[in-house]
Amino acid sequence: MIPHRRHHRTTPRITRLLGALLLVAAVGAMTTGAAPDRTSTPTPTPTPAPTPLDRVIPAPASVDPGGAPYRITRGTRIRVDDSREARRVGDYLADLLRPSTGYRLPVTSHSHGHGGIRLRLAKGSYGDEGYRLDSGRDGVTITARKAAGLFYGVQTLRQLLPAAVEKDSVQPGPWLVAGGTVKDTPRYAWRSVMLDVSRHFFSVDEVKRYIDRVALYKYNKLHLHLSDDQGWRIAIDSWPRLTTYGGSTEVGGGPGGHYTKDDYKEIVRYAASRHLEVVPEIDMPGHTNAALASYAELNCDGVAPPLYTGTEVGFSTLCVDKEITYDFVDDVVRELAALTPGRYLHIGGDEAHSTPHEDFVKFMERVQPIVAKYGKTVIGWHQLASADPAEGALVQWWGLDRTSDAEKAQVAEAARNGTGLILSPADRTYLDMKYTKDTPLGLSWAGYVEVRRSYDWDPATYLPGAPASAVRGVEAPLWTETLSNPDELDFMAFPRLPGVAELGWAPAKAHDWDTYKVRLAEQAPRWEALGIDYYHSPQVPWT
């Protein structure tokens, strides 16, 4: 106990001695160190490096990095050619950048001055959708032959900026664009998404939200699945019960809904502002219960079935032998074609299990000329190849790796005979397929489709016997039997949707999973800034 008491007796003396020494040191610091403290400056926070030119999705055709980056500042102006098309893209870019930067970013067509961001239309080997992006200390210039190319160049510029550019409140920046040159043209002219608004209905604003998502990745077609067993979604004046009755429900018995003609025109307009062409689909002769329930005379027995809210397929069919069937088709195609400025009209044709094959062929022989009569080109699901596709028609392959060789051969033969192919294999590009057995949403009839499987295939060689020249492009369909709100669409689309976009745009030589998955991971902060709830695949090295 004595050492313990002695220790406590000496502690106050030690404390006083240490205190005195600290006081001396402090005084010394106040005197000898005063001048250095007043003249020194804080260590500056390093400016983050700009995103390299080759880290965007889809991968550009050609990248030549180098030189100083460009910095968007309060004084930056967006200079456009004196044309309505360039002005629209400039306004879109300004609207995109203003909320997060807090800058005015005036859009001007005045030719005087230099620097800033310039959008210019010019002759060159860019094609209808290609562009060139040049970035350096004095500014960024995007050059294209057509407005679509300018718009796609803007999407590249957007991805080169920090992810915070996507937020709707002012962010600190800095807003740097790496120096160098990007030269870019798409591999395929057809780069499509499909949204099923029949199984569950989505409002005009919800469709616009999806359009904005896909525009970031240079898609150029929006295929709208407007009719099915569970609901008819587009107003047809000559057959009004299609929407008032046939559109009054959805999977699970919800309220359904439909688009008025003005609604549809607004979707078409908004899609066009993002350089997407709307391709409407009226599926027939199967997948037609909503129409059959609305009009008894379309049924062979003249008896209307009840509305359907389940998810089975293949049980419904229009009556092929009734002349009123073709009056119905003529009216629907006529009214829909008049609303649709795009070139194509999709007539479905899949899973017509209740239609005998000879009746299916007879039906397609009658319907395809009706589409042509109203100035549109036919698209059908790949079962159309079992009939006689019209000249110029496209067939859309949705089969699986395990689909029979005979069915594949039939489609390949049609391709060799001049029918174009859109590839959307269900076990690769169907965005509603579950990622794994534990995915809470989606279906699994085509198998589980993880991110790598969705990306790691080549459209040019996918279908045996089909010439590569017949492939027009790719599509990422999103069916909605299990999806009823926009957040669920996001979860199933991301991160697979950008990969299908890359297959459609990037050159074949850029196709490499190991490099792609790194670029994909770097997109995550951008999705978070946009409010996209995405699937955190373990195959992707998220940062």
Side-chain angles (χ1 to χ4, degrees), residues 199 229-230 249-254 289 306-312 315:
R199 269 55 178 271
D229 292 316
Q230 298 85 354
T249 190
E250 58 189 10
V251 168
N289 194 80
L307 293 171
Y308 182 69
T309 60
T311 59
E312 296 299 319
F315 62 88

Side-chain angles (χ1 to χ4, degrees), residues 430-447:
Y430 270 31
L431 302 179
D432 58 300
M433 288 298 110
K434 290 176 177 287
Y435 296 97
T436 71
K437 64 180 179 60
D438 298 320
T439 307
L441 301 168
L443 303 172
S444 59
W445 58 264

Side-chain angles (χ1 to χ4, degrees), residues 475-491:
E475 181 173 291
L478 186 51
W479 301 97
T480 61
E481 287 95 333
T482 68
L483 312 177
S484 60
N485 64 65
D487 288 337
E488 292 174 348
L489 299 182
D490 283 349
F491 183 79

Side-chain angles (χ1 to χ4, degrees), residues 104-136:
R104 287 185 59 244
L105 300 172
V107 181
T108 176
S109 58
H110 294 306
S111 59
H112 66 270
H114 65 280
I117 301 172
R118 185 178 181 192
L119 308 178
R120 57 188 296 265
L121 295 170
K123 294 179 180 179
S125 56
Y126 308 109
D128 289 346
E129 298 183 299
Y131 66 91
R132 173 178 173 136
L133 185 150
D134 294 288
S135 176

Side-chain angles (χ1 to χ4, degrees), residues 25-259:
V27 171
M30 292 172 63
T31 55
T32 60
D37 280 350
R38 283 197 300 267
T39 59
S40 64
T41 58
T43 302
T45 301
T47 300
T51 300
L53 298 180
D54 61 353
R55 301 300 275 271
V56 303
I57 296 175
S62 169
V63 171
D64 183 18
Y70 174 66
R71 183 169 186 158
I72 298 174
T73 67
R74 193 169 301 279
T76 295
R77 300 166 72 86
I78 298 173
R79 299 190 299 123
V80 301
D81 288 352
D82 190 13
S83 71
R84 182 180 303 175
E85 293 84 0
R87 165 71 67 165
R88 285 173 178 165
V89 179
D91 288 341
Y92 167 86
L93 176 59
D95 289 343
L96 187 72
L97 300 181
R98 283 169 180 154
S100 55
T101 64
Y103 302 153
R104 287 185 59 244
L105 300 172
V107 181
T108 176
S109 58
H110 294 306
S111 59
H112 66 270
H114 65 280
I117 301 172
R118 185 178 181 192
L119 308 178
R120 57 188 296 265
L121 295 170
K123 294 179 180 179
S125 56
Y126 308 109
D128 289 346
E129 298 183 299
Y131 66 91
R132 173 178 173 136
L133 185 150
D134 294 288
S135 176
R137 186 184 304 277
D138 292 333
V140 173
T141 298
I142 300 173
T143 307
R145 191 164 71 87
K146 293 193 174 182
L150 289 182
F151 184 82
Y152 300 135
V154 162
Q155 301 313 312
T156 295
L157 172 62
R158 178 180 176 183
Q159 289 191 41
L160 291 173
L161 290 165
V165 78
E166 308 292 350
K167 295 192 174 183
D168 57 6
S169 59
V170 176
Q171 304 297 310
W175 310 107
L176 297 176
V177 182
T181 297
V182 174
K183 298 177 183 177
D184 208 5
T185 54
R187 182 183 184 186
Y188 293 114
W190 192 283
R191 305 177 307 280
S192 181
V193 294
M194 190 280 292
L195 183 60
D196 168 20
V197 296
S198 293
R199 269 55 178 271
H200 279 100
F201 180 68
F202 291 85
S203 70
V204 172
D205 285 342
E206 289 169 338
V207 174
K208 287 180 176 181
R209 183 181 189 265
Y210 196 62
I211 288 171
D212 281 333
R213 303 287 200 240
V214 304
L216 175 58
Y217 296 103
K218 303 184 176 75
Y219 282 98
N220 67 353
K221 301 284 190 296
L222 172 64
H223 171 186
L224 283 178
H225 187 75
L226 291 169
S227 70
D228 215 298
D229 292 316
Q230 298 85 354
W232 186 285
R233 306 304 183 199
I234 180 67
I236 302 297
D237 293 340
S238 49
W239 299 76
R241 273 176 59 84
L242 289 172
T243 50
T244 59
Y245 186 68
S248 65
T249 190
E250 58 189 10
V251 168
H258 72 274
Y259 305 119

Side-chain angles (χ1 to χ4, degrees), residues 186 245 266 367 380 407 455 479:
Y245 186 68
E266 176 58 16
V367 168
E407 193 168 0
Y455 174 81
W479 301 97

